Amino acid sequence: MTQASAQPAPASTSEEAEQGVSLYADAWRRLRKNKMAMVSVGVIVTTGLLSTFAGVLAGFVGVGPTYGFRWIRAQPPGFTHVDTLNQTSLILGGEAQVREPYADASRLEFHTVEREVEEVRVAWNRRGVQAIALTEGAKPLDALEVAAGEHYWQEIDENKQALGERIQNASLQVGEPLPAAFGERPRSGVLFIQRVHEPASGRRVYAARLEGGAVKELTQNGAPIESALIEGRIVEQVLADGVPQTITHPLGTDLSGRDLFVRILYGGRISLLVGLVATLVSLLIGVVYGAISGYSGGRVDAFMMAVVDILYGIPYMFLVILLLVNFGRSIVMLFFALGAVQWLTMARIVRGQVLSLKQKEFVEAAIMSGSSPAAIMFKHLIPNTLGIVVVYTTLTVPAVILQESFLAFIGLTVEWGGESLDSWGALVKAGSDAGLSRSWLLVWPSLAMAISLFGMNFLGDGLRDAFDPQQRGRT
Amino acid sequence: MSDPAKPLPVLELDDLRVRFKTDGGMVHAVNGVSFRVDEGEALGVVGESGCGKSVTNMTVLRLIPTPPGEVSSGTIKYRGTDLLKLSAKEIRKVRGGKIAMIFQDPMTCLNPFLRISKQLTEAILLHSDMTPDEARERAIQELERVGIPDAAGRVDSYPHEFSGGMRQRVMIAMALCTDPDLLIADEPTTALDVTIQAQILDVLRRLQAEKGMSLVLVTHDLAVVAGMCTRVVVMYAGRIVEEAPVDDLFADPRHPYTIALLGSVPRLDDPVGRHLTPIEGLPPKLAEEPTSCAFAPRCTYAFDRCRAELPKLEPDPDGRLRACFVTFKDGVPVEPVDAGGAA
Amino acid sequence: MGRYLFKRLVQVPIVLLVLITLSFFMVRLAPGNPFSGEKKMDESVRQALNAKYGLDAPWPIQYLKYLKGLATLDLGPSYKQKGLTVNEIIAEKAPVSAVLGLTAMILALALGLTAGIISGIRQNSNFDYGSMGVAMIGLSVPTFVVGPLLALVFGLKLGWLPVAGYERMAGPIPYPQYLILPAITLALPFAARIARLTRAGMLDVINQDYIRTAWAKGLRERVIVLRHAMRGAMLPVVSFLGPAVAQILTGSLVVEQIFQIPGIGYEFVKSALNRDYTLVLGTVILFGVLLVAFNLLVDVIYGFLDPRIRYA
Ligand SMILES: Nc1ncnc2c1ncn2[C@@H]1O[C@H](COP(=O)(O)OP(=O)(O)OP(=O)(O)O)[C@@H](O)[C@H]1O
Ligand SMILES: [Mg+2]
């Protein structure tokens, strides 16, 4: 049993082994055979490309990560709506303040509908509906009849977020339970019902002729006007050179009407950046520290490793939290904070490698021939620890990403120049706060994150197996 | 193969074939091995590294990992019952009870986490109805017999507290404490240095005689075979190429491989412990079952037939078994006449 | 073993001192002070508060005073929870976290060891592929994704378990239904690590010569696994248990937040965010002590398991 599994299959390796294939080529050959690892490489490359070219992809969707179509709020995947700004400003003679995709059209038409909204607040508990009150005007009602017809009623929650349902044919009565039309609700709560209707005079058409982006002619319902400020909320259609303008959000939008897909792409950028840079930091510190320690040996080594041992005993994440809370959450700070958490293990691994390499002939030969310690370290020792360093690095990146997302989750999102950079962790946090009815906000960012981490972990595993087949499956 | 005149052999292998399915394809490790071990006899098994000695012997106790290993044909009879057909429970009774095995590297073959006493008594308790106290007594006795000084004081030690030679003694004690009929020793001394080797072999020889058990001794070292065994089988590429009483083999080798082995090895009067030096050329890969003589590519005497047909292990007129188309007399080919020029 | 343990013991005060110093100055060096956030506070009131909490003294004095307090296990008064000392808050909150952490750890060990052992001895079986796949998911999907999802499915959709909350049955111990989801959430990544480590250890061990020897003795598989293979396979798991405590502590910050469990992790986050310095320090020190203690315990267990170390 033992000999058998310790020996590689003779038929497959003896020939190549005779040709003295290098460790790396051999590892690469083994890695290529590992299907999961190759799939993982695909996943990682895809993730990398997607977040690198986030800008290009955002161009396809038609909106960046920070712009929110405020009036649409959170909408499910695939949601399509009129492509217009929250406020479109057209002033005769001035530059048209319109959405980019049709900024250089020569004729624009905005069809708007002014709607009136009446809001009713309904609170209920186990015993039934407690109060029905008109919020504007605060007039209390005893009963409310929600009929189907030309007007529609829409349910929203306390944050004025549409719950995506339109209520029809329900009658609410103080003291009675919530009617079945409201579906399964928690035992108590508050919701708002908006009655939306459209006055006869509510429809308007703004038309503008543009030249080089500047407004040359402007009319409202055919009559020339000087300027128009058009709320996105009331726009029913935009025609640019006669073509209707819409925008589709493949993964829906968040609470402020920002495109989730684009935000996930940009979030991936932040997460990967943090993961890579912090890992690099840890790599630098760890490799140099470990190499010096291992190379020096003796007392220096003992002391340096005692320091590592001591630092190992410190609950780092708590210090990182303190650091971010007290000294601001700049992304640069985070790079170093997370890098500092990770370097210890790297230092230990590199030291171990260097210690054993030092015994090898080629290093002894270099020492004999009087090469300088720095030359030996950078020419012989560090390059030869590369395999294991690569493996460990691959496993560190997802670990760091996980840590950052964890910080983001407890509210410590990173910032740069005062602007919050929403990583995957921040998106997941927002999603889990958004609640059950908007599950896409939780599901998609989680999925993006999980798949990428999954890929990185699998690749790390695969690399380890490839570099060190004896250690197969070790963690 | 069994001779009706003789009593039932302790162990009898017939046409055993074992192969391994590996990433790099099939490995045919054992390709039709047949031999027997008689009551009280010591059989030597020799051959180059990788020729299938260990696989053959581990298959006897069904210790081959399956998968990747697989016995594709053959029988292994222990006093008439086919071990390959036994249930998992029945084979456990044989393992350690009837047939014991010791392995090459005493440094790694003892469990570093358990006391010696535990490792010995668990075997005794398993194969006898002794009480734990009796088993412990027995373990101490056995350790004394293999020559561990202060056995009673050291029985509760851990393996790392013993030297390599001492550990191999412990291994032997562990194998013998259940009074097996047959001991398979797979290169028991290879990992030890020369003086220790001699001591261990001494212990083995003495105990074999005392207990009257049979012994299969796998080794690289022809000198060891000469000193310990009555009969030898020579293996090449998963097959037996020659089988003979030990003196006959040394005096009159009748297979080119054996001749090469003996040629590459010092004679009996050379100092003890010298190993085989490799023969010219490489042993074959075992990707396919051989259909012609596997030794032919390295053989000085090979002729066309050797490369076309597989020689069977057959008796010469005087009863000596060998698998070769060339006939030898005193290490010189006599038939076919042109064989010598074929190289 | 004795010498080794001694070396580790000597390190303990150093570790703690480094930790205390680091966190003390990190908190003190921060811009602003705990009472600067409260806008409508009179300058005189603020000064009075600073004097009351000793914040007007120079840092070295504050530091020494804090150390002196620590020597008598006094972590000082909370700056933000009026009338409560840090000791009182910790005594109130820490046991809740301990109950959660302990449950999670037991769960993780049970799950991880079982899955790891079976996968190890049945390498490349469907069970192996399945459980290692799940373990990889456990490693890749963060706790804060798993938690809300579990709450969503078992709390909201199926209604089997409470979505959040912590109704106490006796002392810090809640009714079991309040513990199930948080403990599972917390245990999952930890179980995943243990399963992978155990499997790797098992694979390593079952290919050892001494396991072949055990087979050759005629022992049954169960005995071989439990008596001969387990110990060796457990060694990597044991070394992981020390850092694992740190992992479970950090994990509990999030889990306590998700499930609204009034534990010390949640308290730490709150106190860090609203700058309750003494409380933050106290909690960090508590975590540090726990970590150090567990690392020591792990060393002892390691020596206990491996005679080569015990007698070295
Ligand atoms: N588990 C296994 N998987 C694949 N191949 C195996 C396995 N066990 C043995 N083999 C192959 O079977 C052949 C015979 O091996 P075996 O260990 O029996 O040789 P041996 O004669 O005992 O050699 P040595 O003198 O070196 O011990 C070798 O080619 C070996 O690579
Ligand atoms: Mg062998």
Side-chain angles (χ1 to χ4, degrees):
Chain A
M1 285 156 119
T2 323
Q3 292 143 309
S5 50
Q7 286 163 4
S12 71
T13 47
S14 52
E15 211 172 82
E16 285 133 306
E18 279 155 33
Q19 292 163 6
V21 175
S22 81
L23 168 71
Y24 295 97
D26 213 34
W28 171 237
R29 191 177 52 77
R30 255 179 257 132
L31 185 68
R32 253 185 342 208
K33 271 208 214 145
N34 183 340
K35 268 194 221 109
M36 265 326 275
M38 291 326 280
V39 171
S40 303
V41 170
V43 168
I44 294 167
V45 169
T46 314
T47 316
L49 287 178
L50 285 178
S51 31
T52 314
F53 297 106
V56 178
L57 286 156
F60 286 126
V61 176
V63 66
T66 48
Y67 190 80
F69 298 96
R70 280 200 299 275
W71 76 96
I72 68 164
R73 297 183 174 128
Q75 296 295 345
F79 183 75
T80 302
H81 63 92
V82 183
D83 189 11
T84 180
L85 292 173
N86 290 308
Q87 278 196 332
T88 298
S89 148
L90 297 169
I91 297 167
L92 203 55
E95 184 125 349
Q97 303 292 315
V98 296
R99 287 270 298 143
E100 197 132 321
Y102 48 84
D104 36 342
S106 53
R107 188 181 156 74
L108 291 180
E109 262 178 47
F110 291 83
H111 297 247
T112 67
V113 186
E114 199 82 64
R115 293 195 174 92
E116 280 173 7
V117 175
E118 188 178 58
E119 204 163 79
V120 182
R121 180 180 185 279
V122 182
W124 76 96
N125 66 13
R126 227 178 294 220
R127 268 173 274 119
V129 171
Q130 272 181 322
I132 301 174
L134 266 181
T135 314
E136 274 162 287
K139 190 173 72 183
L141 305 170
D142 286 341
L144 181 70
E145 205 65 41
V146 186
E150 67 190 277
H151 314 316
Y152 63 89
W153 298 79
Q154 169 172 8
E155 242 187 293
I156 58 177
D157 64 14
E158 275 176 288
N159 302 320
K160 305 285 163 93
Q161 293 294 317
L163 293 178
E165 293 157 71
R166 292 199 173 153
I167 304 295
Q168 290 179 341
N169 299 327
S171 73
L172 286 157
Q173 180 86 42
V174 170
E176 296 293 316
L178 212 59
F182 289 86
E184 274 182 49
R185 297 279 157 212
R187 271 179 283 166
S188 60
V190 175
L191 60 84
F192 293 82
I193 301 175
Q194 284 182 332
R195 180 183 184 221
V196 184
H197 69 111
E198 185 185 307
S201 61
R203 292 189 170 266
R204 286 191 205 116
V205 178
Y206 297 91
R209 192 173 62 77
L210 307 181
E211 257 171 43
V215 182
K216 290 291 165 196
E217 268 176 50
L218 187 63
T219 61
Q220 177 188 331
N221 289 345
I225 50 169
E226 291 281 307
S227 69
L229 193 64
I230 309 163
E231 293 281 329
R233 155 178 77 76
I234 62 169
V235 177
E236 207 175 45
Q237 193 175 40
V238 176
L239 296 173
D241 296 327
V243 182
Q245 297 294 317
T246 59
I247 179 168
T248 301
H249 301 284
L251 298 183
T253 55
D254 71 1
L255 298 176
S256 347
R258 293 176 292 193
D259 185 272
L260 185 62
F261 176 63
V262 173
R263 281 175 66 70
I264 290 176
L265 293 178
Y266 278 82
R269 225 185 220 193
I270 306 299
S271 284
L272 292 183
L273 191 70
V274 171
L276 287 174
V277 177
T279 303
L280 228 79
V281 170
S282 80
L283 199 67
L284 226 70
I285 309 177
V287 169
V288 171
Y289 192 97
I292 292 178
S293 177
Y295 182 78
S296 314
R299 292 206 169 174
V300 179
D301 179 41
F303 175 77
M304 286 177 83
M305 281 301 119
V307 170
V308 168
D309 275 350
I310 286 169
L311 293 182
Y312 246 113
I314 287 178
Y316 268 103
M317 280 314 278
F318 298 94
L319 290 190
V320 173
I321 292 173
L322 282 189
L323 195 74
L324 293 181
V325 167
N326 289 324
F327 295 95
R329 315 200 298 247
S330 137
I331 194 165
V332 177
M333 179 89 81
L334 193 76
F335 290 154
F336 284 97
L338 290 182
V341 179
Q342 296 291 340
W343 72 271
L344 294 170
T345 313
M346 187 64 87
R348 272 191 181 174
I349 291 175
V350 172
R351 170 194 173 256
Q353 286 292 104
V354 168
L355 269 185
S356 69
L357 275 172
K358 239 177 29 171
Q359 322 287 322
K360 298 257 161 78
E361 287 114 45
F362 68 97
V363 178
E364 282 183 346
I367 296 174
M368 297 292 207
S369 70
S371 309
S372 76
I376 292 171
M377 190 158 340
F378 286 99
K379 267 209 205 108
H380 296 290
L381 296 183
I382 291 182
N384 276 295
T385 57
L386 218 62
I388 187 148
V389 168
V390 166
V391 170
Y392 185 69
T393 307
T394 328
L395 289 171
T396 304
V397 174
V400 172
I401 291 181
L402 209 58
Q403 277 165 350
E404 188 280 331
S405 69
F406 163 88
L407 291 172
F409 188 86
I410 58 175
L412 301 172
T413 45
V414 286
E415 293 172 351
W416 180 244
E419 264 195 57
S420 140
L421 300 173
D422 291 337
S423 66
W424 280 336
L427 296 184
V428 171
K429 164 74 169 165
S432 83
D433 288 346
L436 184 54
S437 56
R438 287 177 287 263
S439 55
W440 65 91
L441 289 177
L442 174 62
V443 169
W444 293 109
S446 305
L447 217 60
M449 184 164 176
I451 290 176
S452 316
L453 293 181
F454 204 71
M456 291 178 207
N457 280 325
F458 251 113
L459 179 64
D461 260 22
L463 277 174
R464 182 175 37 209
D465 291 351
F467 271 108
D468 194 357
Q470 303 287 317
Q471 298 268 309
R472 233 190 150 93
R474 254 180 188 286
T475 310
Chain B
M1 257 195 43
S2 65
D3 189 332
K6 287 186 178 164
L8 202 56
V10 176
L11 185 70
E12 185 169 17
L13 270 62
D14 189 26
D15 193 35
L16 183 69
R17 285 163 205 273
V18 184
R19 58 191 182 195
F20 293 92
K21 217 181 232 146
T22 68
D23 293 346
M26 215 46 124
V27 177
H28 294 269
V30 178
N31 303 301
V33 162
S34 309
F35 66 73
R36 53 159 224 291
V37 183
D38 290 325
E39 196 75 56
E41 180 191 33
L43 176 75
V45 178
V46 297
E48 270 173 309
S49 187
C51 70
K53 306 183 296 289
S54 299
V55 172
T56 305
N57 283 298
M58 299 223 307
T59 312
V60 170
L61 285 184
R62 306 216 324 232
L63 293 176
I64 292 295
T66 37
E70 177 196 13
V71 176
S72 52
S73 84
T75 56
I76 299 176
K77 290 210 173 108
Y78 167 75
R79 295 189 186 285
T81 37
D82 188 353
L83 297 181
L84 294 175
K85 297 220 168 67
L86 293 187
S87 69
K89 197 172 163 191
E90 290 162 333
I91 189 77
R92 282 205 302 269
K93 291 226 177 74
V94 177
R95 285 180 189 152
K98 309 279 186 224
I99 304 178
M101 210 162 167
I102 51 184
F103 303 97
Q104 181 170 339
D105 190 355
M107 303 309 278
T108 56
C109 283
L110 289 167
N111 189 331
F113 301 109
L114 297 179
R115 294 175 195 281
I116 299 296
S117 51
K118 180 83 197 168
Q119 299 190 50
L120 259 75
T121 51
E122 73 175 353
I124 301 173
L125 291 171
L126 195 67
H127 297 289
S128 72
D129 347 294
M130 287 187 207
T131 65
D133 284 341
E134 290 165 353
R136 190 182 155 82
E137 266 320 297
R138 178 66 209 272
I140 294 172
Q141 273 173 24
E142 210 63 46
L143 288 173
E144 275 163 358
R145 276 167 82 178
V146 296
I148 302 230
D150 185 24
R154 304 200 62 183
V155 67
D156 286 322
S157 310
Y158 286 95
H160 70 268
E161 299 170 74
F162 285 99
S163 69
M166 284 295 167
R167 283 192 218 182
Q168 194 61 298
R169 285 174 200 258
V170 172
M171 278 296 295
I172 295 175
M174 202 158 87
L176 298 188
C177 65
T178 53
D179 290 324
D181 280 358
L182 171 67
L183 175 67
I184 300 176
D186 190 348
E187 307 193 30
T189 56
T190 311
L192 304 173
D193 62 48
V194 183
T195 44
I196 311 284
Q197 274 186 27
Q199 291 171 10
I200 295 289
L201 290 172
D202 255 8
V203 170
L204 268 181
R205 196 182 298 120
R206 179 164 51 80
L207 291 177
Q208 193 213 349
E210 271 174 31
K211 302 204 172 194
M213 77 189 163
S214 315
L215 174 70
V216 173
L217 182 68
V218 178
T219 180
H220 277 148
D221 193 337
L222 285 176
V224 169
V225 174
M228 297 273 303
C229 303
T230 44
R231 219 151 38 85
V232 197
V233 298
V234 181
M235 284 187 70
Y236 187 78
R239 291 178 66 83
I240 292 181
V241 294
E242 183 166 7
E243 179 190 326
V246 86
D247 300 332
D248 295 359
L249 189 89
F250 280 95
D252 176 20
R254 293 187 188 173
H255 190 281
Y257 179 63
T258 320
I259 294 169
L261 267 188
L262 290 172
S264 71
V265 96
R267 259 171 295 273
L268 275 180
D269 39 58
D270 276 357
V272 186
R274 271 195 60 183
H275 288 224
L276 304 179
T277 49
I279 303 166
E280 194 86 350
L282 287 169
K285 304 220 178 86
L286 300 165
E288 270 149 42
E289 268 195 82
T291 51
S292 60
C293 177
F295 188 60
R298 296 165 79 186
C299 180
T300 336
Y301 315 107
F303 62 112
D304 297 346
R305 191 175 171 202
C306 305
R307 286 180 274 269
E309 226 181 289
L310 184 66
K312 291 204 186 67
L313 186 67
E314 278 167 342
D316 278 346
D318 62 353
R320 290 258 314 259
L321 290 162
R322 62 192 199 95
C324 186
F325 297 127
V326 187
T327 311
F328 290 88
K329 190 157 171 46
D330 303 325
V332 181
V334 292
E335 199 194 20
V337 226
D338 64 335
Chain C
M1 178 79 186
R3 266 187 60 196
Y4 176 68
L5 259 189
F6 178 75
K7 216 176 110 190
R8 301 296 304 231
L9 271 173
V10 169
Q11 282 177 1
V12 167
I14 308 179
V15 172
L16 290 180
L17 198 69
V18 169
L19 175 66
I20 292 164
T21 314
L22 265 178
S23 29
F24 183 89
F25 285 101
M26 206 176 272
V27 162
R28 285 299 185 280
L29 284 174
N33 102 355
F35 306 112
S36 59
E38 288 155 47
K39 289 177 205 108
K40 284 187 227 114
M41 191 181 280
D42 230 38
E43 193 49 38
S44 59
V45 177
R46 181 174 306 155
Q47 271 171 14
L49 273 173
N50 278 345
K52 179 178 166 202
Y53 290 117
L55 290 175
D56 47 358
W59 285 339
I61 306 287
Q62 287 187 33
Y63 177 64
L64 287 179
K65 258 176 99 178
Y66 190 73
L67 285 186
K68 219 174 109 193
L70 273 184
T72 56
L73 296 182
D74 177 11
L75 296 167
S78 160
Y79 289 170
K80 293 289 160 88
Q81 302 188 31
K82 302 282 139 65
L84 284 178
T85 66
V86 173
N87 291 45
E88 283 164 353
I89 294 172
I90 287 180
E92 157 77 20
K93 306 280 181 177
V96 172
S97 297
V99 169
L100 175 62
L102 212 66
T103 318
M105 204 190 280
I106 292 169
L107 201 64
L109 277 170
L111 272 176
L113 287 179
T114 318
I117 289 174
I118 299 179
S119 299
I121 56 182
R122 297 276 178 269
Q123 193 190 2
N124 298 333
S125 65
N126 287 337
F127 181 92
D128 182 24
Y129 287 130
S131 57
M132 285 307 116
V134 173
M136 200 48 125
I137 294 174
L139 283 187
S140 305
V141 185
T143 331
F144 54 78
V145 172
V146 175
L149 280 177
L150 286 181
L152 199 148
V153 174
F154 294 100
L156 279 172
K157 282 258 153 84
L158 299 173
W160 293 351
L161 295 163
V163 175
Y166 202 82
E167 250 175 68
R168 289 165 199 256
M169 187 166 70
I173 301 168
Y175 291 98
Q177 66 265 34
Y178 289 96
L179 209 53
I180 297 175
L181 290 183
I184 291 178
T185 310
L186 188 53
L188 223 57
F190 189 44
R193 280 299 295 275
I194 293 179
R196 284 162 55 88
L197 283 168
T198 313
R199 174 179 182 271
M202 210 60 197
L203 280 182
D204 222 31
V205 169
I206 57 169
N207 285 317
Q208 296 286 327
D209 289 352
Y210 63 81
I211 297 300
R212 187 184 55 192
T213 309
W215 280 106
K217 278 183 200 172
L219 297 171
R220 4 159 115 245
E221 182 173 28
R222 194 152 44 93
V223 177
I224 291 176
V225 170
L226 294 180
R227 189 186 294 160
H228 286 264
M230 266 287 266
R231 284 201 188 197
M234 289 293 297
L235 291 182
V237 178
V238 170
S239 349
F240 167 67
L241 284 181
V245 174
Q247 193 181 319
I248 265 204
L249 288 175
T250 24
S252 74
L253 301 193
V254 164
V255 172
E256 285 174 12
Q257 194 166 344
I258 295 171
F259 292 99
Q260 288 159 33
I261 293 168
I264 195 74
Y266 197 16
E267 199 62 35
F268 171 78
V269 177
K270 277 193 297 186
S271 61
L273 292 176
N274 69 29
R275 303 198 165 179
D276 192 342
Y277 289 159
T278 40
L279 187 49
V280 167
L281 275 178
T283 347
V284 171
I285 291 167
L286 174 74
F287 289 142
V289 169
L290 271 177
L291 192 56
V292 165
F294 261 84
N295 279 330
L296 266 180
L297 187 67
V298 160
D299 285 338
V300 173
I301 295 176
Y302 205 100
F304 178 76
L305 280 179
D306 191 344
R308 285 167 300 186
I309 288 184
R310 196 184 326 156
Y311 294 103

